[in-house]
């Protein structure tokens, strides 16, 4: 990564699911842009290592648990004095066709994607309101708009995140807070679980002809998180090589 055209000096950015994949690359990008970065993940040792690597603050927390969420937000404010940006990125998959899904498969996916996004938004709002400034970037998916076999739980959560993004964008606009989402397409551990033939078929359907490196998601998130993007709210930006056209 070369020089970064963003400057987040004096801003605190909290990224969930930051131990690896998109979350880690996003955290690294913000760190290079001089932000104080809080990396949250339920994978404790991994997130501490990731944080040490980039000079951020690692926190082991489960985004589906209210106490963990509140504790990590409190820690961000305690350590850096503020909270400006929340990136709701943590995610899991429990893929099965709908008739094979268990209650656990259903509840776990909804609790992390939809529940985590809700919990961090709720926890951040008092800080955002107090400073009359805030940025939330949620991570949704093509699956939430178009559906994908084996992902009814995930598509329910990701479509829900789009509605939640727009609703909270409306609720929070008067407090100087924007809420937006990206819809990514990047080669991560999550994509590694897709069978090779299906992956080749998916890549062939991308106008750019390839999946992105996870670091290619960061610039779009940083743009939406920038002070300068303050008149953009409630949108979903596809960062997908043209796949959703
Ligand atoms: N990779 C893609 O092409 C793609 C496409 C569409 C959407 N997404 C979304 O992007 C986001 C990041 O995905 P990724 O591909 O980097 O996946 P990944 O599996 O590489 O990383 C996800 C991270 O989230 C963490 N996590 C999971 N559950 C958690 C919880 N309850 N609390 C805290 N941390 C938790 C994991 O430990 C992991 O570090 C997800 O929301 C995913 O749904 C990814």
């Amino acid at each position: 990564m070369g020089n970064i055209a963003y400057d987040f000096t004096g801003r605190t950015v909290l990224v969930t699911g930051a131990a690896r994949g998109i979350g880690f690359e996003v955290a690294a990008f913000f760190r290079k842009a001089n932000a104080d970065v809080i990396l949250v993940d339920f994978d404790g040792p991994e997130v501490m290592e990731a944080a040490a690597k980039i000079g951020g603050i690692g926190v082991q927390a489960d985004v589906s648990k209210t106490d963990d969420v509140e504790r990590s937000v409190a820690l961000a404010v305690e350590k850096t004095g503020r909270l400006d940006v929340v990136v709701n990125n943590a995610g899991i998959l429990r893929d099965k066709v709908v008739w094979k899904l268990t209650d656990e498969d259903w509840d776990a996916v909804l609790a992390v994607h939809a529940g985590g996004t809700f919990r961090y938004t709720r926890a951040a709002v008092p800080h955002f309101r107090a400073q009359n400034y805030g940025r939330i970037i949620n991570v949704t998916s093509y699956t939430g708009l178009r559906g994908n076999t084996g992902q009814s739980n995930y598509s329910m959560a990701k479509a829900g995140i789009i509605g939640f993004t727009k609703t909270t964008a409306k609720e929070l606009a008067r407090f100087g807070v924007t809420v937006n989402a990206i819809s990514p397409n990047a080669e991560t551990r999550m994509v590694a679980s897709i069978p090779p033939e299906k992956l080749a078929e998916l890549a062939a359907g991308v106008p750019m002809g390839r999946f992105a490196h996870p670091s290619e998601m960061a610039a779009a998130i940083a743009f939406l998180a920038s002070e300068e993007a303050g008149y953009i709210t409630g949108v979903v930006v596809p960062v997908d090589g043209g796949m959703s056209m």
Side-chain angles (χ1 to χ4, degrees):
M1 207 186 292
N3 289 334
I4 288 175
Y6 292 93
D7 187 7
F8 285 90
T9 302
R11 298 284 186 201
T12 299
V13 180
L14 184 150
V15 183
T16 71
R20 59 176 67 74
I22 295 170
F24 174 71
E25 296 293 343
V26 168
F29 189 100
F30 276 110
R31 191 66 204 102
K32 280 206 164 188
N34 303 316
D36 289 321
V37 180
I38 316 297
L39 296 88
V40 172
D41 208 288
F42 67 178
D43 199 339
E46 281 274 343
V47 79
M48 292 308 173
E49 205 176 298
K53 214 180 285 176
I54 64 169
I57 298 167
V59 190
Q60 176 174 22
D62 182 338
V63 302
S64 67
K65 298 208 162 78
T66 299
D67 288 353
D68 281 18
V69 171
E70 298 287 338
R71 174 174 54 81
S72 62
V73 167
L75 186 110
V77 174
E78 183 195 311
K79 296 253 183 200
T80 71
R82 44 190 306 127
L83 179 65
D84 299 289
V85 180
V86 173
V87 182
N88 284 309
N89 164 80
I92 56 166
L93 296 175
R94 295 280 186 276
D95 293 358
K96 281 171 200 158
V97 284
V98 69
W99 61 93
K100 291 187 180 165
L101 276 180
T102 64
D103 284 359
E104 203 281 327
D105 297 326
W106 182 264
D107 292 343
V109 167
L110 269 292
V112 173
H113 292 275
T117 300
F118 157 60
R119 285 182 170 76
Y120 270 102
T121 302
R122 183 177 59 182
V125 164
H127 303 284
F128 289 173
R129 285 189 64 172
Q131 65 201 15
N132 208 37
Y133 182 87
R135 299 279 182 265
I136 298 175
I137 296 92
N138 298 323
V139 180
T140 181
S141 171
Y142 183 75
T143 300
L145 286 171
R146 303 286 292 267
N148 190 26
T149 297
Q151 295 195 313
S152 58
N153 49 358
Y154 183 74
S155 64
M156 176 75 98
K158 290 305 203 189
I161 285 173
I162 296 172
F164 183 83
T165 298
K166 294 181 179 184
T167 298
T168 51
K170 288 184 176 176
E171 290 178 352
L172 295 170
R174 68 196 150 133
F175 305 120
V177 177
T178 67
V179 189
N180 293 291
I182 71 153
S183 173
N185 178 19
E187 202 134 11
T188 63
R189 183 179 68 153
M190 202 169 264
V191 172
S193 66
I194 301 172
E197 61 284 1
K198 174 85 180 159
L199 194 63
E201 191 188 308
L202 286 173
V206 180
M208 290 285 182
R210 63 177 180 89
F211 274 64
H213 184 269
S215 62
E216 294 181 84
M217 304 300 114
I221 291 179
F223 168 65
L224 295 169
S226 68
E227 207 176 319
E228 292 83 348
Y231 204 60
I232 301 174
T233 199
V235 305
V236 180
V237 178
V239 191
D240 65 358
M243 188 169 87
S244 55
M245 275 192 282

